[in-house]
Amino acid sequence: MRSHPSPSGIFMRPQALNQVYTCFRLLVGAPKEKAESGVSANETGDVYACPITADTKDCRRLNLLNSNFEDPKNDVMDGMWLGVSIASQSQPGGRVLACGHRYVRNFATNFRMIGRCYVRGNDLQYNTADSQWQTYSEVCDPRDDQTSEGMCLAGMSAAITQTEIFLGAPGCFNWQGNTFSLWYNPEDKFGDMKSKLPNLKKGNIYIGKAGLQPYKDTVVTGAPRDEARGSVTMAEVFKASVSGEVKIKATVVGEQVGSYFGSSVTIVDLNNDGWKDLIVGAPFYFDRRKDEGGAVYVYMNQNESFRDKADVVLTGPKDSAFGMAVVGIGDVNQDGFQDFAVGAPYHSKGRVYIWMGNKTGISQMPSQVIEGKDIPGGGFQTFGYSISGGMDVDGNSYPDIAVGSLDDHWANYTEICITLIYCLYKVAPIAFLLSVSLVEPVPSGRQTLEDLSAFPVISQRYALTGRAEIHIQKACGSDNKCESNLQMMAAFTDEQNGLQIFHYSTEVKKLKLMVNVSNVKSQDRKAEDAYGALLNVTIPTSLSFSSLNPKVRSIDVLRNYTFVPSTFRTEYSGRVVGESAMKSSSDIGSPVEFNMTVALSGNPLGNLGFLEVVFQWPYAVANQKWLLYLSEIQMAGTSKQFCVPENNVVNPLNLTVSDWFYDYLSIDPAEAEELQYEVPLWIIIVSVLAGVILLGLIVILLWKCGFFKRANTRELYEAKAQKAEMKTQPSENNRLTEED
């Protein structure tokens, strides 16, 4: 493990292993490192070289800015992020490459952020004898603005081979990006050629931002914002007599918006067929239903072509940035197949997954998982942010890997394998169980490089326990495998008349079950011995076992229920609504009603048992989109109106159910004979007494209100009328006067 010598430069992102003839060292970038003395800047970044030793403080700063005396005068070094990308020729005495993509050329009135890279020899010093490679030359043209190459950010990703340098420049052509190839003729000291992509008129897709991988005359690079889903392009470098050109030959596109597909890329021959396979990381992929975060897509090479859809998709835990780093690490287990590593830096303290290549393809389960939190004294925060490998640094014939963290630590791992051979001698029929585990010794803590052969690991690709059964020789043919022809018949019987038509009802007090098991040779099956045959009879809790009486009976069985399904044909209609916008079942689409009727003969089951109806329906299509959404199950003829099975299969989105429904289950019990209902005598007597009392109360109430005084009032009215009539009669005198 290594720690940064200065707490100010804790941003250690890229790394590369470099071989110095007979020994190795690790190159680590610190893009936020303070500027070295003599440089008019505050923060420039730099590169550190660390020998593979147990000393955690022996890393040496390269001071690249002061090592080249041909620097132009009109430049801005402050904030250039030197060390953002590092590459090595990975051979004894090979060159190294380091870039800072935020380097700026100052044109008095305009600033051009074009980026800058440094090439150094095996001694990590500037060598005039190697001026063809090490002399500074600008890749991008700083005279143009951002619509051309004036904001190219060259060196944000980088790679170096024995004859070529490849630089990613995501700022070219209004952030379309570009891939530059600088070829150096090994037979001509002054022969070099620059090749690049043309302007594709596709801005803001970031070609060359990350994931730059060369192979022969082909360069593979990612464009993580292409069509918002990201893509990976495979381009061929054409070297003409005057200038070269990079032409895109094939492109694979990501499947999810914002997943940053193509931010990490590697090419590895996983199945050893001679063709390089493509592995692409998408660290921001997510699946909220499965709690997955980050994905790695594996495309198997089909004779220099790739399918549009990945052959294998690997996913990591939620919010882990699984796929932030994807790197080929060589054949770590020496089985003849190349392997690769995947970083998930934001899962806990960080994690690195190892997958082993094989002939049949890549499995979903990794062969090994390395946790950053398990490293004693590591103190990592984002273990797995960067990975480098493929070189054997300790001489044990197994390639090693270096893992970086987005802080001030990195760790180095070596791989070893153990082959276990065991022999067993059969003496009796046995079941053999083998468990494999390792007891790791505690590190000595000395300031010396530990022999990692004393700290092996077990590949997680294989099971740690194994079970095998060893049988005695049996009379079952040359293969010693018995092929029986067991047949079973079961029926209920009656010992009195030998025949019973069984009705499962409350009238049956005693049940007799006859089971006939045979092993007879048939036309297509042998009838070899059936060792260890068992007959299991499950008795309901409402019944009690009585006895076992092996008698033979011939009976018929009548099934006492009928099941009437229904068929339907439906077509989708309506407005398509996303799942997050669904509020009620009417937002799903056209309703589908499916009726099932179960009719029972005889008396109801009561407490003798229960009836279970099992049905399946097409709930989703191949891409997990809803097909038939089960909103509710209504029942008739049962004690409950709705059926609510386990596992939340009914209305899993908790939508408001409309008046229509999808599934309707009706259970019709047998018709029972109607019995005449007789009212008890005491109810009649109480009813009569209550009526008499009520009538008396009504009469008293009317009397109090004067209802029965109406006749006296009428007589009073008649008397008053007679008196008034008497007063109006004339006297005798008046009557005589009138007659006169």
Side-chain angles (χ1 to χ4, degrees):
M1 187 180 69
R2 286 290 186 276
S3 298
H4 197 285
S6 171
S8 62
I10 61 173
F11 183 32
M12 301 186 68
R13 184 170 180 248
Q15 56 199 15
L17 290 170
N18 173 245
Q19 185 173 0
V20 190
Y21 297 105
T22 59
C23 62
F24 294 85
R25 60 191 165 203
L26 182 73
L27 302 178
V28 184
K32 300 288 287 182
E33 181 64 281
K34 295 295 184 181
E36 56 192 272
S37 59
V39 177
S40 58
N42 178 46
E43 188 180 272
T44 59
D46 211 328
V47 178
Y48 284 80
C50 306
I52 309 299
T53 65
D55 188 355
T56 61
K57 302 295 184 181
D58 59 354
C59 295
R60 177 175 62 90
R61 182 172 178 171
L62 300 188
N63 294 325
L64 291 176
L65 299 183
N66 280 332
S67 63
N68 190 349
F69 301 101
E70 300 179 0
D71 290 344
K73 302 297 182 182
N74 52 344
D75 54 8
V76 178
M77 301 291 186
D78 197 14
M80 69 178 294
W81 282 39
L82 180 58
V84 73
S85 61
I86 302 175
S88 170
Q89 289 182 331
S90 300
Q91 68 173 13
R95 302 178 181 89
V96 297
L97 171 69
C99 301
H101 69 295
R102 291 170 57 89
Y103 163 80
V104 176
R105 282 289 306 276
N106 185 359
F107 285 92
T109 58
N110 294 300
F111 292 87
R112 304 301 188 194
M113 189 175 289
I114 59 175
R116 181 172 181 177
C117 297
Y118 296 82
V119 178
R120 293 295 179 262
N122 191 258
D123 58 356
L124 305 179
Q125 300 295 322
Y126 179 75
N127 185 359
T128 56
D130 192 29
S131 60
Q132 182 185 19
W133 285 79
Q134 299 189 32
T135 300
Y136 169 70
S137 62
E138 291 179 338
V139 176
C140 302
D141 189 349
R143 295 170 297 178
D144 297 324
D145 59 11
Q146 73 275 7
T147 60
S148 184
E149 298 179 1
M151 195 72 172
C152 70
L153 304 177
M156 197 167 187
S157 60
I160 185 171
T161 67
Q162 307 308 316
T163 60
E164 241 170 320
I165 291 176
F166 294 90
L167 300 178
C172 287
F173 307 126
N174 194 25
W175 300 97
Q176 165 197 291
N178 209 330
T179 299
F180 288 92
S181 165
L182 303 177
W183 176 72
Y184 299 96
N185 190 344
E187 299 178 358
D188 185 358
K189 182 177 181 180
F190 302 99
D192 54 20
M193 183 179 299
K194 180 173 72 173
S195 306
K196 61 181 179 180
L197 284 169
N199 188 351
L200 305 176
K201 308 297 183 181
K202 296 179 65 176
N204 298 296
I205 66 174
Y206 294 2
I207 296 177
K209 183 179 185 296
L212 189 65
Q213 284 284 311
Y215 177 67
K216 296 182 179 179
D217 290 331
T218 302
V219 59
V220 181
T221 185
R225 291 190 59 180
D226 190 5
E227 297 183 3
R229 296 179 295 169
S231 67
V232 171
T233 60
M234 285 140 281
E236 187 173 355
V237 180
F238 293 90
K239 302 178 180 67
S241 58
V242 179
S243 62
E245 185 180 2
V246 179
K247 294 182 178 180
I248 296 177
K249 293 298 183 180
T251 302
V252 293
V253 182
E255 64 176 1
Q256 187 182 83
V257 173
S259 65
Y260 237 57
F261 178 90
S263 65
S264 57
V265 176
T266 190
I267 49 176
V268 179
D269 184 6
L270 297 173
N271 55 0
N272 200 21
D273 62 351
W275 301 98
K276 292 286 187 179
D277 305 307
L278 176 65
I279 308 174
V280 184
F284 302 146
Y285 168 90
F286 73 96
D287 189 328
R288 62 181 178 83
R289 290 185 177 180
K290 300 179 180 179
D291 280 340
E292 294 174 343
V296 170
Y297 298 80
V298 180
Y299 298 84
M300 303 305 294
N301 196 326
Q302 310 292 330
N303 297 329
E304 292 189 335
S305 64
F306 298 96
R307 298 186 179 96
D308 293 335
K309 188 175 181 180
D311 296 272
V312 179
V313 180
L314 309 172
T315 55
K318 179 181 178 182
D319 299 329
S320 65
F322 177 83
M324 180 68 74
V326 177
V327 178
I329 55 176
D331 185 6
V332 298
N333 59 348
Q334 298 294 289
D335 62 349
F337 298 94
Q338 297 295 302
D339 311 313
F340 68 96
V342 179
Y346 296 112
H347 179 76
S348 183
K349 300 298 183 180
R351 175 184 285 182
V352 172
Y353 298 80
I354 307 295
W355 266 273
M356 306 297 182
N358 61 80
K359 191 67 176 178
T360 59
I362 300 301
S363 64
Q364 289 292 329
M365 296 299 296
S367 302
Q368 184 179 354
V369 178
I370 305 173
E371 297 276 2
K373 63 182 180 181
D374 293 340
I375 302 175
F380 298 106
Q381 299 299 321
T382 54
F383 181 79
Y385 196 87
S386 61
I387 306 173
S388 180
M391 298 181 68
D392 178 18
V393 301
D394 59 353
N396 66 347
S397 301
Y398 289 91
D400 307 308
I401 63 173
V403 181
S405 180
L406 195 62
D407 39 55
D408 58 351
H409 296 77
W410 63 268
N412 185 55
Y413 285 88
T414 62
E415 291 280 343
I416 65 171
C417 287
I418 297 176
T419 301
L420 178 63
I421 301 176
Y422 57 90
C423 299
L424 298 174
Y425 296 93
K426 178 182 67 64
V427 293
I430 59 172
F432 180 74
L433 180 66
L434 175 66
S435 298
V436 180
S437 61
L438 291 176
V439 178
E440 299 185 4
V442 179
S444 63
R446 297 173 297 172
Q447 292 298 318
T448 58
L449 189 62
E450 294 277 1
D451 182 6
L452 295 183
S453 299
F455 302 92
V457 296
I458 301 176
S459 175
Q460 291 175 298
R461 180 179 174 184
Y462 304 100
L464 300 183
T465 60
R467 188 179 187 278
E469 292 185 353
I470 303 175
H471 301 276
I472 61 173
Q473 184 68 33
K474 299 179 286 291
C476 294
S478 58
D479 60 355
N480 201 35
K481 295 181 179 179
C482 296
E483 183 180 353
S484 63
N485 190 26
L486 289 174
Q487 302 289 333
M488 185 189 73
M489 294 180 61
F492 292 94
T493 183
D494 188 343
E495 64 179 359
Q496 294 180 358
N497 53 26
L499 181 64
Q500 174 186 343
I501 298 177
F502 173 62
H503 291 278
Y504 191 26
S505 67
T506 56
E507 299 175 357
V508 178
K509 302 301 183 182
K510 191 174 184 179
L511 302 179
K512 295 183 180 295
L513 178 67
M514 183 188 71
V515 181
N516 183 14
V517 180
S518 63
N519 187 15
V520 181
K521 184 178 180 180
S522 63
Q523 185 176 2
D524 57 345
R525 294 280 297 182
K526 300 177 182 179
E528 297 175 335
D529 294 343
Y531 291 95
L534 296 175
L535 174 63
N536 294 319
V537 179
T538 302
I539 301 175
T541 57
S542 58
L543 300 179
S544 299
F545 176 74
S546 176
S547 62
L548 179 64
N549 189 8
K551 292 184 179 181
V552 179
R553 292 288 184 268
S554 177
I555 64 171
D556 291 331
V557 176
L558 176 64
R559 300 183 183 273
N560 65 334
Y561 68 89
T562 57
F563 177 72
V564 183
S566 64
T567 60
F568 66 90
R569 179 179 179 181
T570 184
E571 296 180 357
Y572 173 80
S573 65
R575 183 172 61 89
V576 177
V577 179
E579 181 176 312
S580 60
M582 292 180 181
K583 303 300 181 183
S584 67
S585 55
S586 60
D587 296 331
I588 300 174
S590 304
V592 177
E593 178 180 333
F594 186 49
N595 295 315
M596 292 181 291
T597 302
V598 180
L600 300 177
S601 301
N603 296 328
L605 294 178
N607 60 356
L608 296 178
F610 62 91
L611 179 65
E612 183 179 81
V613 178
V614 179
F615 62 91
Q616 295 180 341
W617 76 98
Y619 76 96
V621 293
N623 62 355
Q624 298 302 314
K625 298 295 184 182
W626 292 109
L627 185 59
L628 286 181
Y629 179 86
L630 184 58
S631 60
E632 65 180 12
I633 303 175
Q634 292 189 5
M635 299 187 298
T638 60
S639 60
K640 296 182 180 179
Q641 183 180 2
F642 295 95
C643 177
V644 184
E646 298 178 352
N647 300 325
N648 194 28
V649 298
V650 176
N651 195 10
L653 300 180
N654 293 323
L655 303 178
T656 302
V657 180
S658 302
D659 294 337
W660 48 266
F661 52 89
Y662 284 129
D663 293 271
Y664 182 86
L665 180 62
S666 175
I667 299 179
D668 299 329
E671 295 183 0
E673 182 181 358
E674 289 190 16
L675 298 178
Q676 186 175 3
Y677 179 73
E678 296 181 358
V679 180
L681 180 60
W682 67 271
I683 295 179
I684 298 175
I685 296 173
V686 172
S687 300
V688 172
L689 292 177
V692 173
I693 294 172
L694 180 62
L695 179 60
L697 292 175
I698 294 174
V699 171
I700 294 172
L701 181 62
L702 292 176
W703 179 73
K704 288 293 185 178
C705 294
F707 179 80
F708 299 103
K709 295 180 181 181
R710 290 185 179 178
N712 296 332
T713 305
R714 184 165 54 250
E715 294 176 355
L716 178 61
Y717 289 161
E718 291 177 354
K720 289 182 178 180
Q722 185 177 5
K723 183 177 181 180
E725 185 180 354
M726 292 174 63
K727 287 182 179 182
T728 59
Q729 292 295 325
S731 64
E732 290 294 334
N733 295 327
N734 292 339
R735 192 178 295 177
L736 291 176
T737 302
E738 290 177 357
E739 289 179 357
D740 292 340

